[in-house]
C-alpha cells in the first residue's frame, strides 16, 4: 500500500511516494527547470553535420539540442490515404533516408519536439515528428494514419478504428466547411480509450486539433527558439502515471493546487482524483515521514544501516559504485553471520537508495566478502527481490569472481543529486582541497617564478585567511627568506571569500 504526499510551492513541486511508512521515491519539479520531453519548440538550425547525419538545433536552452536524420520526418504530402492494412506510422522504417544536408540548412526555422531530456553534458534530443498526448488519443499531425494501441484486443481494433475514422473525418469536414480534407492528421487510440464513447473520443479529437492549431499559429507568430507547447506538469503526472490500485491517498498541502488538480483529475483521471485530499495539518506535510531528512541522507555519500554497517555511494559520470561496510569490530565468533545480516540489510537499503536517488545506468555493488555460497545466493536473491519493486526497469547480474554485483537501472530523469546539487566550488567536486600549507608553498613558488619575469616594487599575496595566517606564523621564516632572495618586500592580504587553494599575487 502506498501514499503519495505532495509539497507544493510556487517555485517547486515535491512529490514523495511512501510505502510501509518509508519514502521510496522522490520527485522534484522546479517551475524554472521543468523536464523538457514533449515540449514543442520553434528551433533554429545552428549547424549541420553531414558526417554524423545530424544537426545542432538552437531551441533557446543553454546547450544546443541534437537532431539525428532518423528523427526527421519527411513532410506529409496530401494525397492518397494509407490503407488500414498498412498501419505503419513510423517513416523511419519506410526505406531510403534522404541525407540530412538535403533536408535542413543552417539558419532554418524548424518545428521540433524534445524526445530526450538533456543529461549531464548532452543536449536535448529532438524529433521533427510532433506527437501530442490527449486523454484517450495521441495525435500525430504530420501523419495520416488512424491506429489502435496494440494492447487492445485484436477483435476490437478494426471496429474502433472505423469509429475513430468517422469521428476524425467529421471533425475535419466541419473545420474545412464541408468536404473531408486529404490530410486530417494521424491518431492513435491509447489503451485507456478502449471503452470510450463517441462523444468522449470526439471531445479528445477536438481538443488535440485545437492544441495543434494553437501550436501552428504560434510557430508563425513567435520568433525562433520559442516554446510552443509543454507536456503535463509533475502534479498532473502524479495522477496519470504514479497513481495505481495500490495508492491509498494523495495528499497535497496547497488548497489552491488541490482545487486545480481535482478539476484536472475529475476530467481526465476520475479514479485517481477520488484519492486526492487537501492536507490541512499544522506540521509541514514532509515532516510526517521525516522526508526532508531522507532527502538530506539521499544526497550524502554515507548511508547508515541499522545493524551498524553502512553504505558508501559514489556517483560518477560513468557509473555508480556502492560499497558495503561493516561498522567497526566484528567478533570472530559470529563473523559469518554478522556479515551475512549486514549484506542482507544492505541489499534492501541499496535498492531503496537507487530509487530515492533516481540513479540510472551501471551500478556496481561491492558487498562484504562472504565465505559461504548459500549466503551469497541468498543476498543476491534478496537484492533482486527488492529491485523488482522498482517502477524503473533494473537487471542485476551474479557475483563476479571478485565478489562484485554489476547491475543496470534504466536512466529516466536526472538523478536527485544532479537535480539538487552541483560540484563544490571549493574543491571542484573532488571532495578534497589542498591543505593551507600546500597552498602557501604554491604561492611562494609562484612569486619566485614571477620575480624572474617582472620587477615590481612589491609583491602582495591575496589568499584565504588560513593560508595568510600560516605565512605570518609557522611559515614566516621561509617567506622572509624568499623576500631576501628576490630582493623585494612581500605583503599579505587576507581574503575570506577565497577558497583554501585559491590565491592571487598582486604586483605593486
Ligand atoms: Zn568540496
Amino acid at each position: 500500500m502506498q501514499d503519495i504526499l505532495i509539497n507544493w510551492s510556487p517555485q517547486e513541486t515535491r512529490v514523495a511516494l511512501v510505502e510501509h511508512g518509508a519514502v521510496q521515491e522522490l520527485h522534484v519539479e522546479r517551475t524554472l527547470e521543468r523536464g523538457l520531453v514533449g515540449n514543442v519548440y520553434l528551433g533554429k538550425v545552428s549547424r549541420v553535420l553531414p558526417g554524423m547525419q545530424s544537426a545542432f538545433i538552437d531551441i533557446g536552452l543553454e546547450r544546443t539540442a541534437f537532431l539525428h536524420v532518423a528523427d526527421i520526418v519527411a513532410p506529409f504530402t496530401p494525397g492518397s490515404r494509407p490503407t488500414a492494412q498498412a498501419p505503419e506510422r513510423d517513416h523511419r522504417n519506410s526505406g531510403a533516408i534522404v541525407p540530412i544536408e538535403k533536408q535542413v540548412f543552417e539558419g532554418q526555422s524548424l518545428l521540433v519536439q524534445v524526445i530526450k531530456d538533456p543529461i549531464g553534458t548532452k543536449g536535448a534530443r529532438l524529433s521533427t515528428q510532433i506527437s501530442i498526448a490527449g486523454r484517450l488519443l495521441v495525435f500525430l499531425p504530420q501523419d495520416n494514419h488512424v491506429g489502435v494501441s496494440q494492447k487492445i484486443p485484436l477483435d476490437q481494433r478494426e471496429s474502433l478504428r472505423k469509429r475513430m475514422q468517422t469521428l476524425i473525418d467529421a471533425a475535419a469536414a466541419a473545420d474545412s466547411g464541408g468536404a473531408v480534407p486529404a490530410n486530417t492528421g494521424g491518431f492513435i487510440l491509447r489503451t485507456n480509450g478502449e471503452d470510450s464513447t463517441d462523444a468522449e473520443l470526439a471531445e479528445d479529437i477536438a481538443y488535440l486539433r485545437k492544441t495543434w492549431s494553437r501550436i501552428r499559429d504560434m510557430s508563425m507568430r513567435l520568433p525562433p527558439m520559442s516554446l510552443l507547447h509543454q507536456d503535463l506538469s509533475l502534479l498532473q503526472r502524479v495522477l496519470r502515471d504514479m497513481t495505481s490500485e495500490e495508492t491509498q491517498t494523495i495528499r497535497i498541502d496547497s488548497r489552491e493546487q488541490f482545487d486545480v488538480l481535482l478539476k484536472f483529475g475529475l476530467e481526465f483521471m476520475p479514479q485517481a482524483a477520488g484519492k486526492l485530499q487537501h492536507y490541512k495539518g499544522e506540521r509541514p506535510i514532509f515532516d510526517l515521514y521525516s522526508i526532508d531528512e531522507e532527502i538530506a541522507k539521499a544526497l550524502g555519500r554515507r548511508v547508515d544501516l541499522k545493524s551498524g554497517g553502512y553504505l558508501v555511494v559514489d556517483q560518477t559520470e560513468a557509473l555508480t559504485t556502492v560499497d558495503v561496510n561493516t561498522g567497526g569490530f566484528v567478533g570472530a565468533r559470529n563473523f559469518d553471520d554478522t556479515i551475512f545480516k549486514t549484506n542482507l540489510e544492505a541489499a534492501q537499503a541499496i535498492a531503496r537508495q537507487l530509487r530515492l536517488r533516481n540513479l540510472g545506468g551501471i551500478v556496481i555493488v561491492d558487498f562484504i566478502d562472504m565465505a559461504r555460497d548459500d549466503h551469497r545466493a541468498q543476498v543476491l536473491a534478496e537484492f533482486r527481490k527488492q529491485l523488482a519493486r522498482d517502477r524503473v526497469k533494473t537487471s542485476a547480474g551474479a557475483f563476479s569472481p571478485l565478489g562484485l554485483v554489476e547491475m543496470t537501472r534504466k536512466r529516466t530523469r536526472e538523478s536527485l543529486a544532479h537535480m539538487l546539487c552541483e560540484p563544490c566550488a571549493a574543491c571542484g567536486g573532488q571532495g578534497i582541497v589542498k591543505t593551507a600549507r600546500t597552498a602557501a608553498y604554491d604561492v611562494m613558488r609562484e612569486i619566485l617564478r614571477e620575480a624572474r619575469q617582472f620587477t615590481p616594487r612589491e609583491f602582495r599575496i591575496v589568499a584565504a585567511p588560513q593560508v595568510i595566517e600560516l605565512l605570518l606564523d609557522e611559515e614566516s621564516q621561509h617567506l622572509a627568506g624568499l623576500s631576501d632572495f628576490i630582493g623585494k618586500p612581500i605583503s599579505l592580504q587576507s581574503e575570506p571569500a577565497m577558497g583554501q587553494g585559491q590565491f592571487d599575487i598582486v604586483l605593486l
Side-chain angles (χ1 to χ4, degrees):
M1 280 296 177
Q2 301 173 339
D3 287 285
I4 297 172
L5 306 184
I6 305 173
N7 170 224
W8 188 88
S9 61
Q11 66 275 19
E12 190 178 58
T13 304
R14 303 192 303 166
V15 175
L17 183 87
V18 177
E19 275 174 18
H20 314 293
V23 197
Q24 301 293 337
E25 272 178 43
L26 291 163
H27 301 266
V28 180
E29 182 176 86
R30 296 194 163 159
T31 311
L32 294 173
E33 317 169 350
R34 268 180 64 172
L36 307 176
V37 171
N39 284 11
V40 177
Y41 294 88
L42 186 62
K44 190 175 176 183
V45 180
S46 71
R47 252 178 97 197
V48 181
L49 307 168
M52 289 171 67
Q53 280 303 299
S54 54
F56 286 114
I57 314 287
D58 198 344
I59 53 173
L61 303 176
E62 198 184 333
R63 267 183 217 97
T64 50
F66 182 82
L67 174 68
H68 188 259
V69 70
D71 297 311
I72 298 178
V73 175
F76 179 82
T77 35
S80 64
R81 167 165 291 163
T83 61
Q85 279 73 37
E88 177 230 337
R89 69 161 187 86
D90 199 337
H91 294 284
R92 279 177 256 187
N93 304 326
S94 57
I97 287 174
V98 181
I100 192 158
E101 60 272 26
K102 296 204 172 145
Q103 301 196 66
V104 300
F105 54 90
E106 262 172 53
Q108 181 187 2
S109 292
L110 206 59
L111 199 61
V112 287
Q113 185 165 36
V114 176
I115 53 174
K116 211 169 172 192
D117 265 326
I119 289 184
T121 55
K122 284 187 192 161
R125 182 147 182 187
L126 306 174
S127 170
T128 64
Q129 166 138 22
I130 312 295
S131 76
I132 309 161
R135 178 184 158 209
L136 310 164
L137 305 160
V138 176
F139 183 40
L140 303 150
Q142 298 125 305
D143 209 312
N144 210 26
H145 297 92
V146 174
V148 173
S149 163
Q150 301 291 311
K151 288 177 195 150
I152 293 176
L154 192 65
D155 55 341
Q156 296 176 32
R157 281 188 217 156
E158 191 45 36
S159 67
L160 276 167
R161 213 194 59 78
K162 276 189 181 141
R163 266 176 64 202
M164 281 166 62
Q165 188 71 66
T166 308
L167 293 165
I168 291 160
D169 286 350
D175 274 3
S176 68
V180 180
N183 185 6
T184 54
F187 287 85
I188 294 169
L189 186 68
R190 307 166 78 163
T191 325
N192 62 352
E194 197 180 339
D195 301 319
S196 46
T197 63
D198 280 3
E200 286 171 321
L201 285 172
E203 199 178 314
D204 215 31
I205 290 166
Y207 159 77
L208 289 167
R209 289 173 58 90
K210 198 170 151 194
T211 305
W212 170 238
S213 84
R214 212 173 54 215
I215 292 171
R216 269 211 316 204
D217 182 47
M218 283 167 78
S219 76
M220 284 180 262
R221 281 190 296 110
L222 298 178
M225 290 168 269
S226 298
L227 172 64
L228 307 180
H229 173 76
Q230 206 168 14
D231 225 350
L232 297 190
S233 68
L234 174 59
L235 274 185
Q236 295 166 316
R237 278 187 280 117
V238 166
L239 296 190
R240 193 186 65 183
D241 304 340
M242 289 178 68
T243 308
S244 69
E245 282 164 19
E246 284 157 36
T247 312
Q248 296 188 92
T249 61
I250 305 166
R251 282 176 275 179
I252 180 167
D253 61 357
S254 153
R255 174 84 229 179
E256 199 190 338
Q257 294 302 314
F258 168 77
D259 290 338
V260 173
L261 197 56
L262 184 64
K263 188 163 169 263
F264 169 81
L266 287 175
E267 193 178 350
F268 296 108
M269 298 104 193
Q271 268 205 315
K275 296 173 180 181
L276 263 178
Q277 295 174 7
H278 173 224
Y279 173 75
K280 300 188 194 75
E282 279 294 307
R283 294 169 66 199
I285 190 165
F286 270 23
D287 281 7
L288 298 183
Y289 297 96
S290 312
I291 295 167
D292 280 310
E293 276 169 54
E294 293 292 337
I295 293 175
K297 281 188 206 162
L299 294 173
R301 286 181 74 214
R302 183 176 162 135
V303 179
D304 286 318
L305 304 174
K306 288 191 195 80
S307 61
Y310 63 95
L311 311 175
V312 176
V313 183
D314 278 310
Q315 190 188 350
T316 69
E317 283 278 324
L319 50 81
T320 300
T321 59
V322 184
D323 193 22
V324 185
N325 300 275
T326 54
F329 178 73
V330 178
R333 259 179 81 200
N334 298 316
F335 188 77
D336 280 0
D337 240 33
T338 307
I339 283 173
F340 175 53
K341 277 178 190 149
T342 305
N343 277 339
L344 273 182
E345 197 194 340
Q348 292 183 20
I350 294 164
R352 177 163 169 258
Q353 288 297 322
L354 295 180
R355 280 176 82 181
L356 271 178
R357 295 170 187 236
N358 193 20
L359 294 171
I362 301 166
V363 181
I364 294 180
V365 183
D366 190 359
F367 286 104
I368 309 162
D369 284 342
M370 287 171 283
R372 291 170 49 176
D373 282 343
D374 60 325
H375 281 175
R376 266 200 294 273
Q378 283 182 66
V379 167
L380 192 62
E382 178 65 25
F383 190 40
R384 285 178 172 159
K385 186 179 134 199
Q386 295 296 329
L387 289 174
R389 294 167 59 192
D390 202 328
R391 197 199 314 273
V392 176
K393 198 174 170 238
T394 61
S395 96
F399 275 94
S400 77
L402 292 173
L404 305 172
V405 174
E406 195 180 291
M407 62 160 288
T408 58
R409 186 172 185 271
K410 196 165 178 269
R411 272 187 206 277
T412 52
R413 288 160 194 281
E414 292 254 36
S415 71
L416 194 66
H418 259 127
M419 179 99 195
L420 302 181
C421 302
E422 63 183 0
C424 164
C427 66
Q430 278 188 299
I432 49 171
V433 290
K434 285 181 177 175
T435 61
R437 200 180 304 279
T438 305
Y441 291 175
D442 282 349
V443 174
M444 289 195 273
R445 255 196 321 277
E446 186 57 27
I447 287 180
L448 193 58
R449 184 180 300 128
E450 295 198 4
R452 290 198 193 100
Q453 289 182 288
F454 313 109
T455 50
R457 195 162 37 81
E458 179 189 324
F459 287 94
R460 176 168 299 167
I461 301 171
V462 185
Q466 57 273 37
V467 176
I468 297 297
E469 205 167 297
L470 202 70
L471 288 166
L472 281 170
D473 186 17
E474 291 173 43
E475 297 293 341
S476 59
Q477 282 201 6
H478 291 139
L479 190 67
L482 175 66
S483 176
D484 271 356
F485 182 76
I486 61 172
K488 298 276 154 112
I490 301 172
S491 59
L492 302 168
Q493 186 184 326
S494 175
E495 180 48 68
M498 275 188 166
Q500 197 162 277
Q502 295 174 294
F503 60 82
D504 226 343
I505 291 164
V506 184
L507 312 179
L508 297 171

